[in-house]
Amino acid sequence: RRVLEIGCGVGDLGKMIIDRGHPYRGFDFSPVAVECSKKLCRRGEFKVGDAYDPAAYLPHDYDVAVALEVLEHLDDLRIIENLPAGVRLIASVPDYDDVAHLRLYQNPRRDIIERFRPLLRVTTVVALSAQGNGGERKTIYIFQGIRLKQTGETEIGSSETPADTSEALALVSAVRVGRNDPCPCGSGRKYKKCCLS
């Protein structure tokens, strides 16, 4: 599958996708991050782009779009609207507050499945939980769904698409990450030395 990454940052995920042999294109609003991406992975296609600009999503030659640690910082609905029908979106959203977050996603049914229902048929939600430095529990929801053709249109004939939201919600599972466990970002480092900090 061809992958488009929205908010590619410094190119870590892009490099992993390319190293696994998948065609990839990524964009980010930061010219500095894009330059870092190009240095990290010379085979990648990285460009500066505005996530609100439909032109950043062209050409529509990808099957999968990825938006990790992006939607909580922007108007998430506007981002999803830019995706062409039939594209699978894989995204992450946090349940905890931060000065940079525009919204929280504390209830998967309300804040993911129902919120995105007019634009996206959510098929999977997974909760990744860990204890923060202050002892508080933090959860990141990783979800995937199919971009609908029109507002409110239902997906027909897909064996991957649950019949209703209760089926998608039943897929939610909690994954506990300990401080000394491998970081879920895939860096190979311990969680406490990587994303926990």
Side-chain angles (χ1 to χ4, degrees):
R1 291 179 181 244
R2 182 174 294 274
V3 178
L4 172 72
E5 185 178 9
I6 305 161
C8 62
V10 296
D12 295 323
L13 180 62
K15 183 177 185 320
M16 287 194 296
I17 292 170
I18 291 165
D19 286 349
R20 284 166 176 77
H22 299 285
Y24 168 93
R25 183 171 71 247
F27 70 86
D28 198 279
F29 76 99
S30 168
V32 174
V34 169
E35 284 307 310
C36 290
S37 297
K38 289 177 179 179
K39 288 177 185 173
L40 179 68
C41 186
R42 301 202 183 280
R43 295 178 294 140
E45 184 182 335
F46 302 98
K47 66 179 182 179
V48 177
D50 180 347
Y52 292 135
D53 182 1
Y57 299 79
L58 296 175
H60 292 160
D61 59 350
Y62 46 92
D63 307 295
V64 177
V66 179
L68 301 181
E69 298 186 35
V70 171
L71 297 180
E72 66 269 23
H73 301 288
L74 302 168
D75 181 341
D76 52 2
L77 299 176
R78 280 183 64 192
I79 303 307
I80 295 171
E81 283 175 346
N82 283 325
L83 296 174
V87 165
R88 179 179 305 280
L89 173 66
I90 300 171
S92 68
V93 291
D95 80 337
Y96 55 89
D97 201 8
D98 184 275
V99 294
H101 295 171
L102 297 181
R103 75 195 51 77
L104 301 179
Y105 301 82
Q106 295 181 315
N107 179 310
R109 178 183 298 281
R110 180 193 67 218
D111 301 331
I112 297 173
I113 296 171
E114 296 297 331
R115 178 174 177 78
F116 300 135
R117 182 193 295 267
L119 302 169
L120 196 69
R121 178 72 169 185
V122 175
T123 58
T124 309
V125 181
V126 176
L128 181 66
S129 296
Q131 189 170 341
N133 288 331
E136 73 283 0
R137 190 182 127 255
K138 294 183 175 185
T139 300
I140 294 176
Y141 294 104
I142 300 173
F143 68 92
Q144 68 174 315
I146 308 297
R147 176 69 167 99
L148 299 175
K149 292 179 184 172
Q150 296 176 356
T151 301
E153 182 178 330
T154 57
E155 199 71 19
I156 298 172
S158 171
S159 61
E160 297 180 77
T161 306
D164 60 32
T165 58
S166 62
E167 202 171 325
L169 194 59
L171 298 171
V172 173
S173 62
V175 179
R176 178 123 174 94
V177 180
R179 292 173 51 80
N180 291 313
D181 290 340
C183 190
C185 77
S187 67
R189 294 180 291 180
K190 289 185 178 182
Y191 180 58
K192 68 182 178 184
K193 298 282 188 182
C194 192
C195 291
L196 178 61
S197 59

